[in-house]
Amino acid sequence: MSSEQAFTDRTMVVSGGSRGIGLAIAIGAARHGANVVLLAKTAEPHPKLPGTVHTAVADIEAAGGKAVPVVGDVRKEEDVARAIEAAVEHFGGIDIVVNNASAIATEPTEALAAKKFDLMMDINLRGTFLLTKAALPHLRNSANAHVLTLAPPLNLSPHWLGAHPSYTLSKYGMTLLSQGWAAEYAEAGIAFNCLWPQTYIATAAVAHIGEKALESARSPEIMADAAVEVLSRPAREATGNCYIDSEVLASAGITDLTRYGGGDNPTLDIFVDEADRP
C-alpha cells in the first residue's frame, strides 16, 4: 500500500503531539493527506519548551493535512473521550492511534520521588491504556487499523534492567500492552506495533542532557518517516512487532541516514545496544 493510499482521508489520533516526535509523526502523515487529532496539555506557550497544541495544528495543516486540537491530559478518561469524540465528529472515525505521550525520570531508585514514579506509570501506562481502549470500537470499523506505541524492544540485559528500573518498567509495560493487544485483537485485524529510535532524537528531553547530546542526535523526522512506513503496511500482515526506526527505513531501501543529522556516530538511545548498530 502506498503512503498516499494509507493516509488519504484517514484519521490519526496522537497523544502528546504538540512538539517533538509526536508532532513529526503527525506532520509526516499529514503530508500524505491524513486527518489528525492532537491530544496535548500545552494550550499556552511554555517558558522552556517550544510550541503548543495550536501551533502544532497549524504545522500539520501547512503540511497538507487537516487537524483538530484537543487540550487535555491523556491520564484523564474524560479528556481522552473528548479526543475520540472530536475525531468522530470532525472526520467520521479513527484509523490510527499513536501513543506518543510519555514521562521520563531516570534517577536512582533511592533518589526517585514517588510523585515521579506515579507520573511515569500514569502517563506511560495508564495513558496508553486509556487512549487505546477508547479508540478500539472505532478502529474495528477501519479498513486498515493501526496502533503505534513509542516504546522499546524488550532488552532484558542486566545493564538496562538496572539503569533506571522504574522508567524501564513503565516503557516495557507499554511494549507488553502493545504485544498483548496484537494477540488479543489479531482476529479483528487491528495492528499493534512499537517504534523506538536507534539513536538519540533531537527533542527537548535530549536538549536537557546537553549540547553534546543534541549534536549527536538525529532529527525527529527519522521517526516520522519510519512511522509512515509502518502505518502504510497492511494491518493483518504487520502486527506484534517492536521496530527500530533505522531498521524500518532499511527494509524500505533507505540506508543513507545522513540527512537526519547526528554526525558520523550518533549516540545510541537507551535500550539499544552497540551490537544493534548496523
Side-chain angles (χ1 to χ4, degrees):
M1 183 182 296
S2 71
S3 296
E4 282 69 24
Q5 290 174 317
F7 293 102
T8 299
D9 296 325
R10 299 175 75 76
T11 300
M12 167 188 288
V13 179
V14 183
S15 65
S18 58
R19 62 180 67 88
I21 293 171
L23 176 56
I25 291 174
I27 291 173
R31 289 197 178 105
H32 299 289
N35 308 315
V36 181
V37 173
L38 287 183
L39 173 61
K41 291 173 61 179
T42 311
E44 302 295 332
H46 189 282
K48 296 182 179 180
L49 298 173
T52 69
V53 67
H54 303 294
T55 61
V57 162
D59 292 341
I60 292 165
E61 291 177 340
K66 298 176 182 178
V68 173
V70 176
V71 179
D73 189 333
V74 74
R75 296 172 291 178
K76 298 180 178 178
E77 284 187 85
E78 59 271 26
D79 289 357
V80 169
R82 286 192 297 109
I84 299 302
E85 290 164 5
V88 174
E89 177 183 349
H90 287 272
F91 305 121
I94 299 170
D95 302 284
I96 300 166
V97 171
V98 178
N99 289 307
N100 167 73
S102 191
I104 180 171
T106 57
E107 295 96 319
T109 299
E110 290 173 88
L112 181 67
K115 184 176 181 180
K116 288 187 177 181
F117 178 92
D118 290 343
L119 182 68
M120 289 190 289
M121 301 306 157
D122 284 350
I123 294 178
N124 301 0
L125 283 172
R126 177 182 169 86
T128 295
F129 167 77
L130 288 179
L131 184 59
T132 304
K133 180 177 185 290
L136 277 166
H138 306 284
L139 291 169
R140 286 182 179 276
N141 296 324
S142 171
N144 193 39
H146 279 264
V147 177
L148 188 65
T149 298
L150 299 200
L154 298 174
N155 187 338
L156 299 181
S157 73
H159 171 74
W160 292 119
L161 290 177
H164 27 64
S166 296
Y167 175 63
T168 299
L169 172 65
S170 70
K171 296 304 291 187
Y172 283 9
M174 293 170 71
T175 304
L176 288 171
L177 279 175
S178 179
Q179 295 195 324
W181 286 327
E184 185 177 10
Y185 292 95
E187 292 187 7
I190 303 172
F192 291 88
N193 295 291
C194 294
L195 180 64
W196 193 250
Q198 180 196 42
T199 68
Y200 278 4
I201 300 295
T203 62
V206 170
H208 183 72
I209 298 173
E211 188 65 30
K212 186 176 182 181
L214 203 57
E215 290 174 355
S216 64
R218 289 174 177 155
S219 71
E221 281 67 37
I222 189 171
M223 287 288 281
D225 290 348
V228 165
E229 171 63 25
V230 170
L231 297 171
S232 299
R233 296 172 176 175
R236 290 188 179 274
E237 298 174 17
T239 186
N241 301 294
C242 291
Y243 293 110
I244 298 294
D245 57 0
S246 59
E247 294 173 357
V248 171
L249 296 181
S251 71
I254 302 169
T255 55
D256 183 358
L257 306 180
T258 54
R259 72 184 186 89
Y260 300 113
D264 295 333
N265 193 35
T267 303
L268 292 177
D269 207 345
I270 55 178
F271 308 119
V272 180
D273 295 328
E274 188 64 37
D276 298 319
R277 192 193 293 271

